[in-house]
Amino acid sequence: MELVLIGVMALLTSGLTFFSGFGLGTILMPVFALFFPVPLAIAATAVVHFANNLFKFGLMAKQADWRVVARFSVPAAAAAIAGAIILNLFDSLPVIMRYAIGGSTFEVTVVKAVIGVLIVIFALLELWPPFQVLAFPPRWLPLGGVLSGFFGGLSGNQGALRSAFLLKAGLSKEAFVATGVVSAVIVDAARLVVYGTAVVATHFEQSQAVVAPVVVGSVCAFIGAFVGKRVLQKVTLHTVRLVVAVAMLAIGAGLVSGLI
């Protein structure tokens, strides 16, 4: 069941959001979290996200503005490592609370609570119209890199913040997409170093089971990106944002309460 759900969501998301910062990691991480521990879900999503962005990198890297990449992505990479380290620290903290419903026991942990709250916040931002047109002046690019990278390392939610800081960088549509892709590749590479040495080691046995979903998700994301690059001329994301934001609210609440 998880292979089908993860594959379908990766395919649809990669294609529908090819031209948007709202994308693969935002949707796919909560789907992985339905089946795997939260830190491992974030790590698995990062692998799919990285592989997908490498594919996009090959398609569009020549159109990236490398001056913007340098100002934005260098601080983003450092902040992503910090966020990933903090995620691992949260994962090592003891259970906050246990409770039983109908004979089943549920646990509220620090990492579930923190990631759940972040998912809810980002879902509410997706439902808030002013956030969709939010853009910061170019002088804030390094700060944007820090914020986007940190939350990318901590929770996997980075695309919306990245777009908000790149929108007014004076880029063409093609350069905007390409620069975002290059930045995402750099951030993913940085956080995967921490995930690979810390998160996967902590959840080693369960990490074996995540290999097949990651492969399926990556392949489906490739197909989605390929179709999105060639077929989708104009992407309307209002309905997609609404449906996904509501689902994110439900999943975030489930994590905070320990039900997931």
Side-chain angles (χ1 to χ4, degrees):
M1 177 61 184
E2 65 263 27
L3 291 178
V4 174
L5 183 57
I6 289 169
V8 169
M9 293 307 297
L11 176 68
L12 293 177
T13 306
S14 182
L16 288 172
T17 63
F18 191 89
F19 297 107
S20 171
F22 174 85
L24 191 63
T26 303
I27 298 175
L28 202 56
M29 195 286 286
V31 176
F32 269 108
L34 293 174
F35 306 106
F36 302 100
V38 171
L40 190 57
I42 293 173
T45 303
V47 174
V48 177
H49 196 260
F50 181 61
N52 185 51
N53 279 315
L54 279 179
F55 183 74
K56 291 180 182 179
F57 182 91
L59 294 175
M60 306 193 71
K62 291 181 180 179
Q63 297 169 299
D65 187 317
W66 290 92
R67 291 176 299 175
V68 174
V69 168
R71 294 183 62 200
F72 184 86
S73 301
V74 172
I81 292 174
I85 290 173
I86 291 175
L87 171 66
N88 190 55
L89 291 176
F90 284 155
D91 190 35
S92 66
L93 295 176
V95 174
I96 299 173
M97 181 178 67
R98 289 187 177 89
Y99 62 94
I101 298 179
S104 298
T105 301
F106 301 95
E107 293 183 345
V108 178
T109 63
V110 173
V111 69
K112 284 185 178 182
V114 170
I115 302 304
V117 168
L118 288 175
I119 288 176
V120 168
I121 290 173
F122 279 100
L124 292 174
L125 288 175
E126 293 297 340
L127 294 172
W128 187 40
F131 184 74
Q132 309 311 322
V133 295
L134 184 65
F136 296 92
R139 67 178 181 273
W140 295 109
L141 279 174
L143 174 61
V146 170
L147 293 175
S148 175
F150 177 78
F151 285 110
L154 178 60
S155 68
N157 297 99
Q158 58 176 309
L161 285 173
R162 182 175 63 244
S163 292
F165 283 93
L166 293 181
L167 274 174
K168 286 194 174 181
L171 304 172
S172 65
K173 179 180 178 180
E174 292 76 15
F176 170 75
V177 175
T179 302
V181 168
V182 172
S183 298
V185 167
I186 293 172
V187 169
D188 286 342
R191 62 184 177 136
L192 280 172
V193 172
V194 180
Y195 295 157
T197 57
V199 174
V200 174
T202 303
H203 301 277
F204 181 75
E205 291 185 6
Q206 291 156 308
S207 68
Q208 311 301 305
V210 85
V211 173
V214 164
V215 172
V216 170
S218 298
V219 172
C220 290
F222 291 160
I223 297 171
F226 184 83
V227 173
K229 177 68 166 58
R230 285 158 176 75
V231 176
L232 298 179
Q233 300 300 316
K234 183 178 180 181
V235 181
T236 301
L237 291 174
H238 176 71
T239 301
V240 177
R241 288 182 186 276
L242 180 61
V243 172
V244 172
V246 171
M248 288 172 65
L249 284 172
I251 292 173
L255 287 171
V256 172
S257 65
L259 294 175
I260 295 178

